[in-house]
Amino acid sequence: MADNTNFIEEIINNDLESGAVKEIITRFPPEPNGYLHIGHSKSLWINFGMKEKYHGKCNLRYDDTNPSKEDVEFVNSIKDDIAWLGYKWDKELYASDYFDRMYECAVGLIKKGLAYVCDYSADEIRNTRGNLTTPGQNSPWRYRSVEENLRLFEEMKEGKYADGEKVLRAKIDMASPNMNMRDPVIYRILREKHHRTGDKWIIYPMYDFAHPLEDAFEGITHSICTLEFEDHRPLYDWVKHNCGFGDFPKQIEFARLNMTRTIMSKRYLKKLVEEGKVDGWSDPRMPTLSGMRERGYPPEAIRNFCAAVGVSKSNSEVDVAMLEHFVRDYLNVNADRMMVVKDPVKLIVENAEKDEVYEIDNNPNAETPTTHKVTFSRELYIDREDFAPVPPPKYKRLVPGGTVRLKGSYILEYVGHKCDETGKVTEVTCRYIPDSIQGGANANIKVKGVIQWVNAKDCVDLTLHEYDYLLLDGDGDFNDRLTPDSHRVYPCAKGEAALKDVNAYDRFQFMRMGYFSAVKDYGKDGKYAFNMITGLKDSYGK
Ligand code: ATP
Ligand code: MG
């Protein structure tokens, strides 16, 4: 094995070598109570990565045992997002399909004297659980007979009791140093419509009971979960063994992904959506996978990022700049370069008599370089920022009396400019220097800068959307950290003609501006808009 084997792979390798398991089967088990976020991509990368590496299987299993927050919209979005990331699950399964079998397992525990119906309220259970230094107290209901427990549990199922009136608890050890082992609740009464089973059930299994069973029913070999479940592993094993399963599935924990300036909790993301702070779960500012898709993040970049973060046993926070680094790293090789001006100013090339056509490199970093056509004529647009009537210090673009090179075309000499009554520049006039195109006799004349431009004759009107992080830097309550104006719109941008015929989600580098992605309905109803994916400057690891 290569020496970059991680600790999960080491466990799997040992289990394969000892012959304990033959085929590796993992699962990705989302609760369908929200959209997947960038944190989930790490779990996806690990679970599907193990499937790929060991030629095994990985199931998509909806952990839908809690009816109150789950929804079909979420079920569908989760599938779309996993497919977008490029992963293929072997089976699509629902924990709710196992409700009958789970019920049978619970009955089995009662018969073995390992579970009992308890009449305590939620508060009473909490108050008798003890704490890290004091043991809990046995519930008076712990001594009910098997027969009575069987009858009461059946009655719970049949609807004889109100929500919360009774629960089923595992009979383990109220003095256990592990709080999770102090007679945890394994079934509760909840009259809530389930997105798949409707009103069939009014009792629902608790996560710690349901999860090991789901894994065991499916023959999962390695149940990979996040670190906060480490303390639940004894209970996971207890359920598994006492319900008749062997040493597998084996639970393995890894540290969840945390990232600076990024909300990684569905609960809070949901709040942003419900309070209208963002434009739905797929808002390009959202750290959801569907938000990143709208924003234009390449799925390959997300996978590369996950691989670089790797897996570990200790929690840490990754700099969001690292994710952006992998986005740029991918786009630098894969995105064609195009010219766009964000805030156009007319530029007249007064000595230009005929139109010209150039072949411009799509991407100097591509494996097989290609080109596209750019046209030049007497009337162009340049960006307002690229001409300064009164230049600030160190300004390297067009100034009165100066020269500048048009990217892929001539060197221009300043002739004059016009302003409106407020002093705003409305038009710039220049002359081109003959033979100054790259390779020409005058191409080596020194200029201060190179600027992008578009041809007024054939350019396309664009709207650009730029985004900031949703959260300001720092820690503290998310509510106090929302970035004001995290979405800026530039409705009057102009792009070169080639941008007319591109498809939704096509990604480009707009020269000197950043990486942009065509919006999902690009070109429909005359709407030509791009979302900014990320800027050009990489602040990561420098
Ligand atoms: P949230 O707190 O956002 O609701 P969750 O852990 O409850 O997250 P689930 O839908 O239950 O979300 O998660 C599906 C899988 O993704 C689980 O195995 C979970 O451990 C994993 N996961 C969730 N968030 C992260 C994260 N930030 N990093 C790594 N794995 C994660
Ligand atoms: Mg959850």
Side-chain angles (χ1 to χ4, degrees), residues 81-133:
D81 291 343
I82 300 175
W84 174 71
L85 267 190
Y87 295 121
K88 290 192 184 70
W89 52 90
D90 288 273
K91 290 182 185 162
E92 176 188 331
L93 301 162
Y94 293 81
S96 55
D97 287 344
Y98 309 135
F99 280 162
D100 286 291
R101 283 174 83 181
M102 290 176 184
Y103 179 81
E104 288 311 318
C105 287
V107 168
L109 288 180
I110 295 174
K111 286 183 178 158
K112 288 185 185 171
L114 292 174
Y116 62 97
V117 172
C118 181
D119 297 6
Y120 268 167
S121 67
D123 278 343
E124 284 167 321
I125 290 179
R126 199 175 314 115
N127 295 337
T128 52
R129 252 182 112 208
N131 55 36
L132 289 175
T133 49

Side-chain angles (χ1 to χ4, degrees), residues 28-31 37 39-40 43 226 254 256-257 264-266:
F28 177 69
E31 192 184 348
H37 51 62
H40 291 108
S43 175
T226 44
F254 69 96
R256 61 169 52 226
L257 176 69
M264 213 74 94
S265 133
K266 270 184 277 180

Side-chain angles (χ1 to χ4, degrees), residues 41 44 51 83-84 95 113 134 160 165 168 227 243 288 305 311 326 343 349 366 370 381 424 460 481 493 504 528:
S41 65
L44 286 162
K51 163 193 157 122
W84 174 71
T134 358
K160 192 160 173 195
E165 197 179 331
L168 185 71
L227 224 47
C243 292
T288 52
F305 162 74
V311 289
F326 281 94
D343 184 1
V349 187
T370 51
Y381 288 104
K424 193 174 168 189
V460 45
R481 285 174 60 199
Y528 293 89

Side-chain angles (χ1 to χ4, degrees), residues 312-350:
S312 90
K313 269 278 186 192
S314 54
N315 281 312
S316 62
E317 198 178 46
V318 171
D319 191 335
V320 66
M322 180 173 175
L323 173 61
E324 290 165 3
H325 165 80
F326 281 94
V327 170
R328 282 187 201 99
D329 193 52
Y330 180 87
L331 293 174
N332 186 33
V333 180
N334 292 286
D336 285 354
R337 275 55 173 167
M338 290 279 166
M339 292 198 285
V340 168
V341 294
K342 190 148 90 177
D343 184 1
V345 172
K346 182 68 76 66
L347 182 137
I348 309 290
V349 187
E350 61 175 22

Side-chain angles (χ1 to χ4, degrees), residues 146-360:
V146 168
E147 291 66 37
E148 189 184 5
N149 280 318
L150 286 173
R151 177 175 56 79
L152 293 173
F153 187 47
E154 165 106 34
E155 287 172 356
M156 279 170 63
K157 179 172 84 126
E158 298 309 326
K160 192 160 173 195
Y161 307 108
D163 289 12
E165 197 179 331
K166 286 184 166 37
V167 291
L168 185 71
R169 296 176 73 175
K171 194 193 271 187
I172 309 180
D173 179 6
M174 289 304 291
S176 171
N178 184 331
M179 299 288 286
N180 295 306
M181 301 297 270
R182 294 186 184 175
D183 290 9
V185 173
I186 59 176
Y187 259 95
R188 62 182 166 156
I189 305 171
L190 187 64
R191 285 172 174 78
E192 192 83 65
K193 204 181 191 72
H194 187 277
H195 76 111
R196 281 171 69 87
T197 57
D199 296 321
K200 178 175 173 199
W201 292 89
I202 60 163
I203 56 170
Y204 289 97
M206 302 302 287
Y207 181 89
D208 280 336
F209 176 68
H211 204 82
L213 292 178
E214 295 158 22
D215 287 341
F217 294 158
E218 291 173 19
I220 301 301
T221 54
H222 297 85
S223 175
I224 303 167
C225 65
T226 44
L227 224 47
E228 67 273 21
F229 290 101
E230 198 166 19
D231 287 347
H232 297 239
R233 195 186 334 141
L235 180 52
Y236 183 99
D237 289 337
W238 186 95
V239 171
K240 186 174 78 177
H241 287 134
N242 289 301
C243 292
F245 297 94
D247 291 339
F248 292 86
K250 186 185 266 186
Q251 176 178 303
I252 309 174
E253 310 86 11
F254 69 96
R256 61 169 52 226
L257 176 69
N258 298 307
M259 208 158 65
T260 56
R261 306 189 74 167
T262 308
I263 299 169
M264 213 74 94
S265 133
K266 270 184 277 180
R267 201 166 53 87
Y268 194 79
L269 292 174
K270 188 174 203 159
K271 226 173 116 186
L272 289 178
V273 172
E274 284 168 357
E275 290 175 1
K277 300 261 167 57
V278 292
D279 185 15
W281 287 93
S282 307
D283 184 303
R285 291 168 295 179
M286 289 282 270
T288 52
L289 295 182
S290 63
M292 291 185 173
R293 174 166 63 228
E294 294 311 316
R295 179 81 172 253
Y297 277 33
E300 297 85 349
I302 295 176
R303 294 207 307 263
N304 294 343
F305 162 74
C306 289
V309 171
V311 289
S312 90
K313 269 278 186 192
S314 54
N315 281 312
S316 62
E317 198 178 46
V318 171
D319 191 335
V320 66
M322 180 173 175
L323 173 61
E324 290 165 3
H325 165 80
F326 281 94
V327 170
R328 282 187 201 99
D329 193 52
Y330 180 87
L331 293 174
N332 186 33
V333 180
N334 292 286
D336 285 354
R337 275 55 173 167
M338 290 279 166
M339 292 198 285
V340 168
V341 294
K342 190 148 90 177
D343 184 1
V345 172
K346 182 68 76 66
L347 182 137
I348 309 290
V349 187
E350 61 175 22
N351 58 339
E353 270 145 31
K354 54 181 187 358
D355 295 356
E356 299 185 19
V357 182
Y358 314 124
E359 289 286 341
I360 293 206

